[in-house]
Amino acid sequence: MTRSTTPVWDPTIRLFHWLLVALIAFSWWSGEQHDLERHRLSGYGILALLVFRVYWGFFGPRTARFSSFVRGPGAVAAYFKGLGHRTASHADGHNPLGGWSVVAMLLAVGAMVTAGLFASDIDMLYDGPLATYVSFDQSSAASDLHSTIFNVILALVVLHVVAVVFYLAWKRQNLVRPMVTGKRPVAAGEDVTDLRWSPVKALIGIVIAVAFAWVVSTGFQFGNAPAY
């Protein structure tokens, strides 16, 4: 039986993607509202997501693994040259250019969260859980860096949206639908293989991610966990 679609994104990758979108948006909103307690909680959620994504980049299915989409400059240059063709590409996961955009986003979000953990505002109304490990000047610098990196993330988000629109308008390829359904169209003559992923490994990754975020939230002082 010929299949018209093939699995490309497992449920955990899709959940990670949309939760990250939601939490970054919520972090921006809570920061603008000076709701620092919810802003802090959102940051811990983002930290847990990042830890899980790194774990899943090594133990997840083929399309989630870094080894499948982090390519060298030659592969990126070759793919970039082919962007002018209107034929849709059916990459099994991230293409070489998109793969590096994922890495850039993960690094930027990771840097923003890390800076937030050490941040302290000038009025001493908010301290990150790790602010006590650095000086006040270093903590204030971390707060400024936290805000600056968020602007970098906004720029990466804009580039991501532009890329999605480009693929839809020029190549007639919808990149959003697979991130919702988990499936993409099959090209003519393409060999179709199932996407195998382990719910047990996913659960292990979730436990590790949540535990790590909780430990960080206590400032590594397990007897004095913050009261939410």
Side-chain angles (χ1 to χ4, degrees):
M1 178 179 178
T2 303
R3 289 162 54 177
S4 60
T5 61
T6 183
V8 62
W9 302 122
D10 68 88
T12 58
I13 280 292
R14 286 178 277 150
L15 186 60
F16 161 83
H17 180 275
W18 296 115
L19 281 178
L20 185 61
V21 171
L23 285 179
I24 287 178
F26 182 79
S27 291
W28 170 82
W29 178 84
S30 57
E32 290 294 307
Q33 299 298 315
H34 303 288
D35 188 346
L36 297 181
E37 189 58 35
R38 287 187 174 86
H39 186 78
R40 182 200 295 246
L41 291 174
S42 181
Y44 295 148
I46 293 174
L47 175 61
L49 287 178
L50 290 175
V51 172
F52 175 81
R53 184 63 186 93
V54 172
Y55 166 88
W56 208 231
F58 293 99
F59 299 101
R62 66 180 188 277
T63 54
R65 295 189 181 188
F66 297 124
S67 59
S68 73
F69 61 80
V70 178
R71 301 299 184 190
V76 175
Y79 184 82
F80 193 83
K81 290 178 181 178
L83 285 178
H85 301 298
R86 300 203 67 169
T87 54
S89 60
H90 294 277
D92 192 18
H94 295 295
N95 60 60
L97 190 59
W100 280 107
S101 71
V102 170
V103 172
M105 179 63 76
L106 292 177
L107 289 175
V109 174
M112 180 187 69
V113 171
T114 301
L117 295 174
F118 291 93
S120 177
D121 67 3
I122 194 170
D123 297 321
M124 300 295 291
L125 296 175
Y126 167 81
D127 288 321
L130 306 183
T132 56
Y133 292 95
V134 297
S135 69
F136 176 74
D137 288 342
Q138 291 172 326
S139 186
S140 296
S143 181
D144 292 337
L145 185 61
H146 182 70
S147 300
T148 299
I149 296 174
F150 182 74
N151 292 328
V152 173
I153 292 172
L154 287 180
L156 291 173
V157 169
V158 170
L159 287 175
H160 180 69
V161 172
V162 169
V164 169
V165 172
F166 169 79
Y167 274 88
L168 183 62
W170 179 252
K171 288 183 172 289
R172 301 292 191 269
Q173 184 176 358
N174 190 327
L175 299 181
V176 177
R177 185 179 295 126
M179 195 54 73
V180 175
T181 66
K183 300 178 180 180
R184 65 168 176 82
V186 174
E190 180 183 2
D191 292 331
V192 177
T193 57
D194 289 327
L195 186 69
R196 297 178 181 176
W197 66 284
S198 170
V200 174
K201 288 183 179 180
L203 181 60
I204 292 172
I206 291 171
V207 171
I208 291 173
V210 172
F212 182 85
W214 179 81
V215 169
V216 171
S217 75
T218 69
F220 300 104
Q221 300 175 21
F222 308 118
N224 298 302
Y228 297 144

